[in-house]
Amino acid sequence: MERSKRYSYEEAYEASLQYFGGDELAARVWVNKYAMKDSFGTIFERSPEDMHRRIAEEIARIENKYQNPLSAQQVFDLLDHFRYIVPAGSPMTGIGNDHQVASLSNCFVIGLDGDADSYGAILRIDEEQVQLMKRRGGVGHDLSHIRPKGSPVNNSALTSTGLVPFMERYSNSTREVAQDGRRGALMLSVSIKHPDSEAFIDAKMTEGKVTGANVSVKIDDAFMQAAIDDRPYVQQFPIDAAEPQMKHEISLGNCGRRLCIMLGRVPNRACCFGIRFCARAFRIVMPTWVFAL
């Protein structure tokens, strides 16, 4: 249902401040992020009560298509003052909003089935990411399918540039979207088994690079066992191939130091033993460990 009554920022802020019992931060965050607006910033809701009425009416509209539907009042009673149900940001913004095209989900994991290592496939993922972000969706995808630096390619470049330039592409796309005055949300991941995984970490740690994305490194049991045994770890591409095209042996001392820095630890003599200590402490209880920055 489209609402035509308009409110000034001050009106919405004062009503929301009363709604939140004097919590200024909560009132400002709600007005800035979740009150229904059009593309010109016109505010159509006075407080979260109006938002919850909007959501309840839209859910009731769908409920009426089924037997024993919940009424709008019943749904509202569950939502009111965030008592029993606290919707995520995108549902609060998007449900029943006739003024904007917005996602009703906060986050999406994307990717392509099969061989996704071509330039065309990389660009299709980039487009999908942007289309989701401009509708308020956060995005995550894995880069382990991209050929490592120096791999042969069937074009005039002769060899691949590796995954780092594509980290920057996806990061820049995120910054370009700038949804509602803020950048989109992006998580890039890679397997520690990928030969470019150390470069992946270094790229994020370089000031001014990959500023539009968070990153995570997926650590497998084989890596943790190598840390316990104090022996090198073998990376390969493709990462899950029985007969890989490329293999690369790394020192866990150097990689452990990178991971410690990535986690915000101060690099020192103990850094190269940090991953080994972690592996021994947890005794390899998970198939995949994720270190995120």
Side-chain angles (χ1 to χ4, degrees):
M1 178 184 297
E2 185 173 354
R3 287 149 175 83
S4 58
K5 187 169 177 56
R6 293 163 169 75
Y7 299 95
S8 68
Y9 183 92
E10 291 71 23
E11 286 177 312
Y13 172 71
E14 289 300 326
S16 299
L17 188 64
Q18 184 176 356
Y19 181 95
F20 286 113
D23 188 328
E24 295 183 5
L25 178 60
R28 292 196 185 280
V29 167
W30 182 81
V31 176
N32 290 333
K33 289 190 173 184
Y34 304 117
M36 187 168 67
K37 306 178 185 71
D38 63 17
S39 296
F40 299 98
T42 307
I43 299 173
F44 295 94
E45 291 176 332
R46 189 165 175 264
S47 77
E49 180 178 350
D50 291 344
M51 175 189 72
H52 288 146
R53 293 281 181 198
R54 161 172 55 88
I55 295 172
E57 289 171 11
E58 181 65 10
I59 292 175
R61 183 181 70 83
I62 303 301
E63 281 279 311
N64 285 330
K65 297 180 180 182
Y66 301 93
Q67 292 183 350
N68 303 317
L70 290 172
S71 68
Q73 186 61 47
Q74 286 175 306
V75 177
F76 175 80
D77 290 340
L78 295 172
L79 294 166
D80 187 30
H81 281 82
F82 305 93
R83 188 175 294 116
Y84 299 110
I85 298 175
V86 181
S90 291
M92 286 196 294
T93 300
I95 293 177
N97 188 338
D98 298 316
H99 297 280
Q100 294 180 343
V101 177
S103 164
L104 300 188
S105 293
N106 270 9
C107 301
F108 299 82
V109 177
I110 64 173
L112 299 176
D113 293 331
D115 185 5
D117 189 33
S118 67
Y119 237 121
I122 289 167
L123 293 176
R124 285 197 298 276
I125 291 174
D126 193 20
E127 181 184 6
E128 184 176 2
Q129 170 185 310
V130 168
Q131 293 294 344
L132 288 167
M133 285 180 172
K134 76 178 190 179
R135 293 168 173 82
R136 211 183 185 279
V139 175
H141 53 98
D142 187 70
L143 304 183
S144 301
H145 62 278
I146 297 177
R147 274 171 282 193
K149 187 174 182 179
S151 301
V153 294
N154 295 324
N155 59 42
S156 60
L158 299 182
T159 59
S160 169
T161 57
L163 59 78
V164 170
F166 298 109
M167 293 176 69
E168 295 183 79
R169 167 185 285 280
Y170 294 132
S171 170
N172 290 338
S173 293
T174 303
R175 294 174 62 242
E176 289 166 6
V177 173
Q179 45 177 283
D180 197 19
R182 59 191 176 90
R183 71 170 178 83
L186 174 64
M187 171 65 79
L188 297 174
S189 67
V190 74
S191 169
I192 192 65
K193 203 168 185 178
H194 193 286
D196 280 356
S197 58
E198 291 181 273
F200 177 90
I201 297 170
D202 290 342
K204 180 60 179 175
M205 299 305 300
T206 302
E207 186 175 357
K209 291 184 72 173
V210 195
T211 57
N214 296 320
V215 300
S216 65
V217 181
K218 299 184 291 185
I219 310 296
D220 59 19
D221 280 353
F223 180 90
M224 301 303 267
Q225 187 63 59
I228 290 175
D229 297 340
D230 194 15
R231 55 178 170 77
Y233 176 76
V234 178
Q235 298 174 319
Q236 67 174 53
F237 186 82
I239 61 170
D240 54 358
E243 298 181 1
Q245 302 167 9
M246 175 186 291
K247 285 189 176 183
H248 176 62
E249 191 174 273
I250 62 170
S251 162
L252 291 196
N254 290 336
C255 190
R257 186 174 295 107
R258 280 183 168 88
L259 287 168
C260 285
I261 294 171
M262 182 178 172
L263 290 166
R265 312 287 184 191
V266 177
N268 54 39
R269 292 179 61 188
C271 270
C272 59
F273 303 108
I275 301 302
R276 190 177 310 135
F277 172 80
C278 180
R280 285 179 175 150
F282 291 97
R283 303 310 303 175
I284 313 182
V285 295
M286 296 175 63
T288 302
W289 307 61
V290 178
F291 291 82
L293 177 63

